[in-house]
Amino acid sequence: MSQQSFLSRLSGPYLVFTHFVILALAGLTLSRLALMLWQWERVQAAGNPAWMLVQGVRADLILLGLLLAIPVLLAPVLAISRWKILWRRFSYVWCLIALTLLIFIELSTPSFLLQYDVRPNRLYIEYLKYPKEVFSTLWHGFRVPLILGTAFTGLLVFLAMRRLRAVATQQGGTSNKKLWLTWPLVVVLVFVCIRSTTQHRPANPALFAITPDAMVNSLIISSGYSVLYAIYSLRHEARSTEMYGKLDEATMLKQALDWPWLKHYQFNNPAQPTWHQQQATVQRDKPLNLVIVLQESMGATFVESLGGVPVTPELESLKQQGLWFEQLYATGTRSVRGIEAVVAGFAPTPAQSTVKLSNSQQNFTTLASVLKAAGFHTQFIYGGEAHFDNMRSYFTGNGFSQIVDINQIKKPKFVASWGASDEDLFDKADAELTRLQQLRQQSGQPFFSLVFTSSNHEPFEFPDGRIDLHEEPKNTVNNAVKYADWAMGQFFKKARQSSYWQDTLFLVVADHDNRVYGSNLIPVEKFRIPGLILGADTKAGTIDTLASQIDLAPTLLSMLGVSSCHPMIGRDLTLDSTSPGRALIQFEQYFALKQPDGLTILKPDGTVVRGTYDEAKKALHLSDLPASRLQYEQALAQVQLPSYLYRETKYKSDHRCDTPVVAP
């Protein structure tokens, strides 16, 4: 008896599925092996490569079990003798579609790894909403991989189609009685593959996080499994922090609010546990205007005085004129995470940023909602299309009165894949601020403008003749950052001569760093960002304490001279700039509470580790000693609180404070 006839007899009506599993396992294993060889230095440093390959096959069986669950469950109805032809066609089409998706996602993995230092994940799904921007980026920045990947996908799908079609014609049948008797065994086999463990919880990607390098951990599973789990996780984001453990509400609130800078306030309303009255430390007859320049991806990597590449000379010059943050950290790795932290003072969670979540699209507290209630005109200025990343919806629903995007920028000098260049953006911003200052002089109304740049974004397009290139070729991240810095410098030269300068407080801050990657479990160095407050009567100085993006909003409110009621628990650094600070870091599914004495890191499998960070060597050293219960609770409270506030709608801007402020 030939091997094929034996396989046909053994598989019966499941022959196409059997071949699908063989082809998929072979392809995914070869892909994993190729990726590990490509990243061999980090793979070898992280652990046992052979064990990683074994665990990879285990993860692949989970994915294949999930893909086969539906057709196997339908088998007692469709695989009976009466529907034999229909079952063959259904099996063939189902497996071909599944293989096509697996091949496409797997072949797109190298480019995604280069950009994000991890396999395709939730970002892969989110960006599908913006085909214009994504395709433009791929075409201009990854043209060769895109063409080769598409061609190779087509070739492999063609070969798979021929193989599966041939197998479908040979698929054996079986009596209805035998089908119904053997079907429970097949279901159990698929169930065992999906669960992959006898523990009380089924296996998930966290089970395969077996090394201290997040990128290497991502290689163990397949890209298809990573994307499928991301889709599944989107449905459970409201309680996403429960992967780390769970504190009761009283303990969570006690630990989350136990910071020296919050001792100045009273939180006595159980229904609105973080709402409080913040008394501005600076008293003004009229509040200042506020302009936030949110710099796309301009992290510490590009700031010489912070240990980076010397491509931000304008920023280095400006820091001598304002209040400079020496140890400021971003909360995440996406623009929407930076917007959430800077504009809303909202701490990070493993879920999507609140910029995209449904319960935060209206009446969610932001600087704009607080300042609008204080009589400010509020606006958002962006060189691209404001709908990207759901920004228009989020901003218009949460306090921003005016949206200015590329559609209002007339005759831009240069338009790139992501919109008008930064110099066009800043020219428009200068015109808008001049107009609003004239209105202020007439009516007394102050304004808040959020200016969001985009030139420092893959594929790094910017106009010629503006800067002396840092390196060749032209379209590199270092050159794009240098151009973005130049455009910002030109803006501030204009602003200093403007009518609005003396009445305006400016914040320059990065949303996140470019390409957050590294061999550390959490690449801490890639979360450090520049921050600078200048303008009006700001005195030059340095804030040396550890700080987070969520500390900026309360600090700005005080410096503006605006006393307000809000739920933001960031630190007003004008009130307390000496207490040891903290940074909140969300990296993939890891959360870290960084303090001067070390980091407490929560892992998605519910475990917690302690680590110390060597700033000079940019190295994270994990401790062999376990974290204490107090350290665990303190870290868990910081990430559980924002999830709780969002889920229970306790960050809504229609709440009011009913407790007095305690004088500092």
Side-chain angles (χ1 to χ4, degrees), residues 120-292:
N121 54 16
R122 184 171 64 194
L123 297 183
Y124 198 88
I125 302 300
E126 291 180 16
Y127 276 135
L128 293 178
K129 301 174 185 176
Y130 311 104
K132 175 180 175 292
E133 290 86 350
V134 171
F135 182 77
S136 181
T137 298
L138 291 174
W139 185 250
H140 292 287
F142 300 91
R143 187 174 305 178
V144 173
L146 176 63
I147 294 174
L148 290 178
T150 302
F152 203 37
T153 298
L155 175 62
L156 290 178
V157 169
F158 174 73
L159 295 175
M161 182 174 62
R162 291 186 60 183
R163 179 61 182 166
L164 290 176
R165 183 180 295 167
V167 170
T169 60
Q170 301 167 4
Q171 181 165 278
T174 187
S175 67
N176 292 345
K177 182 179 180 181
K178 187 176 180 180
L179 169 67
W180 292 327
L181 288 174
T182 58
W183 175 75
L185 296 177
V186 177
V187 171
V188 169
L189 181 61
V190 170
F191 174 79
V192 168
C193 286
I194 294 173
R195 211 171 193 288
S196 192
T197 178
T198 58
Q199 300 296 320
H200 69 286
R201 289 183 178 178
N204 60 52
L207 183 70
F208 303 100
I210 59 178
T211 83
D213 188 328
M215 187 279 290
V216 175
N217 288 335
S218 78
L219 295 185
I220 297 173
I221 64 176
S222 68
S223 296
Y225 184 25
S226 179
V227 170
L228 189 63
Y229 191 78
I231 295 172
Y232 166 78
S233 298
L234 290 175
R235 301 182 57 190
H236 302 274
E237 287 199 323
R239 299 184 181 274
S240 61
T241 57
E242 291 185 5
M243 72 173 88
Y244 303 132
K246 189 176 181 180
L247 300 174
D248 63 78
E249 185 176 321
T251 303
M252 179 263 294
L253 290 172
K254 179 179 181 299
Q255 293 291 355
L257 301 178
D258 189 23
W259 297 106
W261 51 88
L262 295 179
K263 303 299 184 184
H264 302 285
Y265 309 111
Q266 291 183 354
F267 302 94
N268 293 332
N269 185 351
Q272 311 300 335
T274 66
W275 280 80
H276 61 282
Q277 183 72 28
Q278 179 189 350
Q279 186 69 35
T281 59
V282 181
Q283 301 302 312
R284 300 183 185 277
D285 294 333
K286 295 181 179 179
L288 296 176
N289 308 316
L290 174 62
V291 175
I292 295 179

Side-chain angles (χ1 to χ4, degrees), residues 95-136:
C95 291
L96 181 62
I97 292 173
L99 267 180
T100 300
L101 292 174
L102 291 180
I103 291 169
F104 178 79
I105 297 173
E106 205 66 29
L107 288 176
S108 64
T109 297
S111 295
F112 198 91
L113 267 172
L114 282 172
Q115 184 68 18
Y116 298 104
D117 205 49
V118 70
R119 275 190 186 269
N121 54 16
R122 184 171 64 194
L123 297 183
Y124 198 88
I125 302 300
E126 291 180 16
Y127 276 135
L128 293 178
K129 301 174 185 176
Y130 311 104
K132 175 180 175 292
E133 290 86 350
V134 171
F135 182 77
S136 181

Side-chain angles (χ1 to χ4, degrees), residues 334-546:
R334 292 285 313 284
S335 295
V336 285
R337 187 68 77 193
I339 290 171
E340 169 188 74
V342 174
V343 179
F346 198 77
T349 73
Q352 288 190 87
S353 162
T354 51
V355 174
K356 293 191 170 188
L357 295 179
S358 58
N359 286 346
S360 48
Q361 297 307 300
Q362 287 186 326
N363 299 323
F364 196 73
T365 300
T366 65
L367 268 174
S369 67
V370 171
L371 293 177
K372 187 175 183 179
F376 281 60
H377 176 78
T378 55
Q379 71 173 183
F380 171 55
I381 308 176
Y382 181 52
E385 296 191 9
H387 73 274
F388 183 76
D389 261 354
N390 202 54
M391 292 187 294
R392 179 184 290 275
S393 173
Y394 178 79
F395 287 143
T396 55
N398 296 313
F400 284 85
S401 304
Q402 180 190 9
I403 304 295
V404 179
D405 67 3
I406 191 172
N407 297 307
Q408 286 80 49
I409 299 178
K410 305 302 181 185
K411 298 181 180 178
K413 301 180 184 71
F414 183 85
V415 177
S417 299
W418 290 87
S421 68
D422 281 2
E423 62 188 273
D424 292 306
L425 169 72
F426 282 123
D427 284 346
K428 183 62 176 178
D430 177 66
E432 284 292 313
L433 301 184
T434 299
R435 178 182 68 83
L436 292 176
Q437 179 65 10
Q438 291 172 349
L439 293 176
R440 175 186 172 117
Q441 291 168 349
Q442 295 168 10
S443 66
Q445 184 182 34
F447 59 83
F448 163 43
S449 295
L450 172 64
V451 182
F452 186 22
T453 72
S454 61
S455 286
N456 178 27
H457 200 297
E458 198 87 38
F460 309 123
E461 303 161 289
F462 57 92
D464 295 326
R466 303 309 197 261
I467 60 170
D468 293 328
L469 297 181
H470 178 76
E471 61 196 6
E472 293 287 353
K474 175 192 171 186
N475 298 112
T476 67
V477 62
N478 286 329
N479 287 331
V481 170
K482 191 172 182 181
Y483 167 75
D485 176 72
W486 172 85
M488 181 187 66
Q490 298 303 302
F491 166 71
F492 276 106
K493 288 174 184 175
K494 287 183 182 179
R496 278 195 167 276
Q497 306 304 317
S498 72
S499 59
Y500 54 80
W501 177 264
Q502 290 301 323
D503 292 325
T504 304
L505 192 68
F506 295 85
L507 168 68
V508 178
V509 65
D511 56 353
H512 56 86
D513 203 330
N514 177 273
R515 283 200 64 211
V516 180
Y517 63 93
S519 58
N520 294 324
L521 183 66
I522 293 180
V524 180
E525 69 280 4
K526 285 292 186 176
F527 286 83
R528 192 179 181 190
I529 57 173
L532 173 67
I533 298 175
L534 70 165
D537 55 0
T538 306
K539 293 180 173 59
T542 301
I543 295 177
D544 295 315
T545 189
L546 185 60

